[in-house]
Amino acid sequence: MIYRIHVTTGPAALRVFPPVVGIGITSKVDLRGANLGNKETAFEVDGTSFKRVGQIQRLFLSRWTLGPIEALTSSMIPVIEKEPNNQPGEAMRMGVPGLVAGSISGVGDVDRFSFVAKKGDRWSIRVRSKQLGLPLDASLRIESSDGKEISSNDDQVESPDPMVDFVSPADGSYQIRVTDLFDKGGPSHEYVVDVEAPRPDLEVTLSGPDAFILNAGKTLEITGKVKRLGGLKERLTASVEGLPAGVGADCQVDEKSGDVKVKLVAASDADSASGSFRIAVLAADSKPLVYRLASRSLRGEAKRGTSQLDLSPELWLTVIPSKPEPAKKAELPPLGSVGK
């Protein structure tokens, strides 16, 4: 385990608010952290190089930052949460699809947002906080206008942040309720609520180690799991990128169970090699095409707390060549036989 300790009495920007940056535009955010005092904290982020909605973008800012800061890429401009909105009658109105940035500002704080839906409307509702390197352990509930719980979640198997796929049971008003699972809160317990129509997508997570040793002439198997999102139904295929010469791959995706199996095969004469590789899963017939790299957790089951990078698609492979057969010693002719 590698870590770094940075001690300073100077200004340190640790996050941005709202933690959202637009695609193709310049976004105005506020730098937040420690020892910023009365300094000018307004900052502009150039999003012209950002391509895909819904990505966690690592921002390398030039002012007072100790490392990269994470933000969500979006085509929508976020609305900023305003208090009071703890009680059902105080819920802040929002349009859907829509984006809200807020914070659980203290112990026991509850944030509520109301929206109108028609019967049968489908919305994907997600809270992002830990994915952005923030400490909120979010709990998400969807309630009807009379306070009845319709759906709830506090995290996903693959993600430490909650998400629900909501189908409106009738015409009416509904509320999104966000809290900390353990009733904690504070200035840094910030989040983004993202409400959008379900998009075909998938997540691929790997189990087991992240580094592998493969001997020439041998095989090894890597396993993972695919989770379909947003109604994705198209056939899936898997592939491996970045393998060294002499190593091939047999990839299979079980459409029913979602199991991914990748068998790496090294030729008997494979040379010594060491480097990173990646496993990708593709739904080629989806419109638009869905392509995702499999990821592994850098924190295992330790999902409380924050990390600058919780997931990584990079795996490591070392190929060990076959040992050459020892050279045979030359046989000398018997004494007295030379010249005969």
Side-chain angles (χ1 to χ4, degrees):
M1 182 66 70
I2 299 173
Y3 65 91
R4 179 181 67 183
I5 297 176
H6 186 104
V7 181
T8 180
T9 58
L14 305 176
R15 61 191 191 279
V16 296
F17 189 84
V20 179
V21 289
I23 292 178
I25 63 173
T26 297
S27 301
K28 294 181 179 181
V29 298
D30 187 50
L31 298 178
R32 295 186 176 182
N35 303 326
L36 295 178
N38 296 322
K39 295 184 180 299
E40 176 56 52
T41 57
F43 198 87
E44 292 187 344
V45 178
D46 181 4
T48 54
S49 64
F50 306 153
K51 303 298 182 184
R52 185 171 174 269
V53 171
Q55 291 290 288
I56 304 301
Q57 183 70 42
R58 305 182 80 200
L59 306 177
F60 294 88
L61 309 181
S62 59
R63 191 188 301 175
W64 310 320
T65 52
L66 307 181
I69 292 175
E70 294 166 320
L72 174 70
T73 60
S74 179
S75 58
M76 297 183 288
I77 298 175
V79 176
I80 306 303
E81 173 247 343
K82 294 181 179 179
E83 296 285 354
N85 60 355
N86 283 38
Q87 302 302 320
E90 300 171 334
M92 179 178 167
R93 293 290 299 271
M94 67 175 294
V96 289
L99 202 64
V100 178
S103 68
I104 299 300
S105 56
V107 175
D109 186 21
V110 177
D111 287 349
R112 291 178 176 271
F113 310 96
S114 67
F115 65 96
V116 175
K118 294 182 179 180
K119 182 177 180 179
D121 283 353
R122 302 180 66 92
W123 296 108
S124 176
I125 304 173
R126 180 183 297 226
V127 178
R128 288 183 172 90
S129 184
K130 286 190 175 181
Q131 288 178 302
L132 300 170
L134 300 169
L136 176 67
D137 197 339
S139 177
L140 172 65
R141 285 177 55 176
I142 312 301
E143 300 178 351
S144 60
S145 57
D146 59 3
K148 181 181 178 181
E149 180 181 316
I150 299 175
S151 185
S152 66
N153 186 243
D154 55 58
D155 59 41
Q156 301 284 306
V157 174
E158 301 83 0
S159 169
D161 289 322
M163 171 184 170
V164 298
D165 288 324
F166 171 73
V167 180
S168 175
D171 293 357
S173 178
Y174 299 89
Q175 291 194 6
I176 299 168
R177 180 180 182 271
V178 180
T179 61
D180 183 273
L181 184 62
F182 299 95
D183 284 333
K184 296 185 177 182
S188 63
H189 284 56
E190 295 162 340
Y191 62 84
V192 177
V193 173
D194 186 5
V195 183
E196 62 178 359
R199 274 198 327 262
D201 205 345
L202 58 87
E203 292 177 348
V204 192
T205 53
L206 300 176
S207 55
D210 63 330
F212 304 89
I213 297 176
L214 178 59
N215 291 286
K218 302 295 184 179
T219 66
L220 67 82
E221 187 173 271
I222 303 170
T223 60
K225 203 80 172 177
V226 175
K227 181 179 180 180
R228 295 174 180 265
L229 302 172
L232 180 69
K233 297 180 180 179
E234 284 74 17
R235 186 177 68 90
L236 304 177
T237 58
S239 62
V240 182
E241 303 171 356
L243 290 178
V247 179
D250 177 24
C251 306
Q252 297 180 358
V253 180
D254 189 307
E255 295 290 335
K256 291 184 179 180
S257 66
D259 292 335
V260 179
K261 293 184 179 180
V262 175
K263 182 183 291 185
L264 300 184
V265 183
S268 59
D269 59 350
D271 292 331
S272 174
S274 189
S276 64
F277 70 100
R278 295 155 300 282
I279 297 172
V281 175
L282 172 71
D285 297 329
S286 177
K287 305 296 182 185
L289 176 148
V290 176
Y291 164 90
R292 295 289 176 266
L293 292 174
S295 62
R296 61 180 182 86
S297 174
L298 299 180
R299 294 192 293 168
E301 295 301 316
K303 291 183 178 179
R304 262 192 89 73
T306 63
S307 171
Q308 285 292 346
L309 186 62
D310 295 334
L311 301 172
S312 173
E314 299 297 329
L315 305 172
W316 193 264
L317 177 66
T318 299
V319 180
I320 300 177
S322 299
K323 293 182 179 179
E325 294 184 5
K328 293 182 178 180
K329 293 182 179 180
E331 294 184 3
L332 298 176
L335 291 175
S337 63
V338 178
K340 290 185 178 181

